Amino acid sequence: MESFMERLLLGIITFLVVSKSAYAFHSDELQDDEEWGLVGGRSADSDFIAPPRVSTRAPPDNTPSDSRLQFPLEHAFAHSNFTLAGHFSARLKASPHGGQTLTKVRILRNSLTGSEQNAFEELLKKDEFYRIRLPANILTPGKDYVLSSIKARCLARSNLDERFIIHMEGVNVIAITYGSSGECPYPRLLKYPSRWSFNSHIVLKSSEQASRMLTMMEDVIGNENGLEGEEVPKPPEKSFWAKYWMYLVPLGLIVMNAVTQAMNMPEEQAAGQASAGQSSSQGQQRIANS
């Protein structure tokens, strides 16, 4: 009996020791799993290993979303050939509406050489045009250009302070509005600039803004110059009497006069016959008395 009790007590102690060791082992595994970021750890009754976390963040796009480019600016003095006047630099970006568009446009102007200064002075003396042009497609410049011009005296009046308004549709130049910063009233007086370096200002307009601006400009030019094909407000239509009253009034007077004369003719004839009959009766009475 005592030996049986001793064995039972030994078995209980052994069970408790084994259970405590197993619990400590599982706790250490769970702690290690949590330290390594495994959610839930590993189960004591299974060899299943929890999968690592998968990030839902999109992988970085290594494709460049924009790039820098340059396109030339050329100028000409009156009817001379175009030569390089500088470069525009811009950043080409993907448009949210599809295609590509420009942003951050800058210009690097070349200094006027001695011969160009002399040519510009000739423009001032003769009051002629200073012309500029840009390639119609800035990605693949070819033979197509967009031109604009201004009187040289207007630029000299503003001391070579120039303004570019570039109307774009994607990578295509629709139009250029080129001018000086100040007003240039007529008559344009001869004035030489105090410096021979341009001070440039650039405004870039998208296709929607450009089309609206061009429509407004065409309306203004059409109203001022009366260009054919431009719709201008028409005066209200005049009535028939308003158009031809100066002809109708004399014609009416003539008709009324003719009718009046026609109506008076029988009365005049009757009065003439009566007077003639009276004269004959008086003559007969005189003969009888004699």
Side-chain angles (χ1 to χ4, degrees), residues 9-290:
L9 183 59
L10 181 60
I12 294 173
I13 295 173
T14 303
F15 177 79
L16 294 174
V17 171
V18 172
S19 299
K20 186 177 181 181
S21 300
Y23 178 79
F25 176 75
H26 291 166
S27 299
D28 293 339
E29 282 189 332
L30 290 175
Q31 184 178 0
D32 293 342
D33 291 341
E34 291 176 356
E35 289 178 356
W36 287 99
L38 299 179
V39 179
R42 289 185 293 179
S43 173
D45 300 329
S46 175
D47 293 332
F48 173 78
I49 300 176
R53 298 178 183 175
V54 179
S55 175
T56 59
R57 186 178 301 171
D61 187 6
N62 295 326
T63 304
S65 59
D66 53 13
S67 58
R68 293 187 177 275
L69 56 86
Q70 287 187 346
F71 50 98
L73 169 68
E74 298 182 350
H75 64 175
F77 303 90
H79 303 289
S80 65
N81 296 328
F82 281 93
T83 57
L84 186 65
H87 286 88
F88 286 96
S89 64
R91 186 179 293 275
L92 186 65
K93 297 186 64 176
S95 173
H97 305 290
Q100 294 174 311
T101 184
L102 291 183
T103 183
K104 298 182 180 180
V105 181
R106 304 289 186 270
I107 185 173
L108 178 61
R109 266 284 206 170
N110 297 339
S111 300
L112 292 177
T113 62
S115 59
E116 290 176 337
Q117 293 181 18
N118 294 334
F120 197 91
E121 289 179 353
E122 289 297 322
L123 295 182
L124 296 177
K125 295 176 182 179
K126 299 179 181 180
D127 194 19
E128 293 188 347
F129 285 96
Y130 173 75
R131 301 184 294 156
I132 57 108
R133 73 178 184 181
L134 292 177
N137 188 300
I138 61 176
L139 287 184
T140 57
K143 296 181 180 180
D144 296 329
Y145 291 89
V146 180
L147 295 85
S148 186
S149 61
I150 186 176
K151 286 288 187 177
R153 291 188 179 182
C154 295
L155 276 178
R157 181 184 178 88
S158 63
N159 207 22
L160 301 186
D161 192 355
E162 61 182 0
R163 293 185 181 274
F164 297 87
I165 302 178
I166 306 176
H167 307 276
M168 301 289 300
E169 183 177 8
V171 296
N172 297 313
V173 180
I174 300 176
I176 310 172
T177 304
Y178 179 66
S180 59
S181 60
E183 298 180 353
C184 189
Y186 186 85
R188 293 174 291 271
L189 302 179
L190 177 59
K191 177 183 177 181
Y192 293 94
S194 60
R195 53 181 171 82
W196 289 102
S197 59
F198 288 92
N199 183 25
S200 306
H201 305 272
I202 306 171
V203 177
L204 193 66
K205 292 188 177 292
S206 62
S207 57
E208 181 179 355
Q209 295 172 324
S211 60
R212 185 164 59 249
M213 179 65 70
L214 291 178
T215 302
M216 294 173 60
M217 291 175 60
E218 290 174 358
D219 292 342
V220 171
I221 294 174
N223 291 335
E224 291 181 352
N225 299 336
L227 295 179
E228 295 183 358
E230 298 292 340
E231 294 185 359
V232 296
K234 295 182 179 180
E237 187 70 19
K238 294 182 178 180
S239 63
F240 179 81
W241 176 256
K243 289 182 179 179
Y244 304 107
W245 68 269
M246 69 287 296
Y247 306 108
L248 295 176
V249 170
L251 180 61
L253 295 175
I254 293 173
V255 172
M256 291 178 62
N257 188 25
V259 171
T260 303
Q261 291 180 357
M263 294 177 64
N264 292 334
M265 286 179 64
E267 296 179 357
E268 292 178 354
Q269 291 178 357
Q273 292 177 358
S275 61
Q278 185 176 3
S279 299
S280 61
S281 61
Q282 291 178 356
Q284 292 176 357
Q285 289 179 357
R286 289 175 182 176
I287 296 172
N289 293 332
S290 60

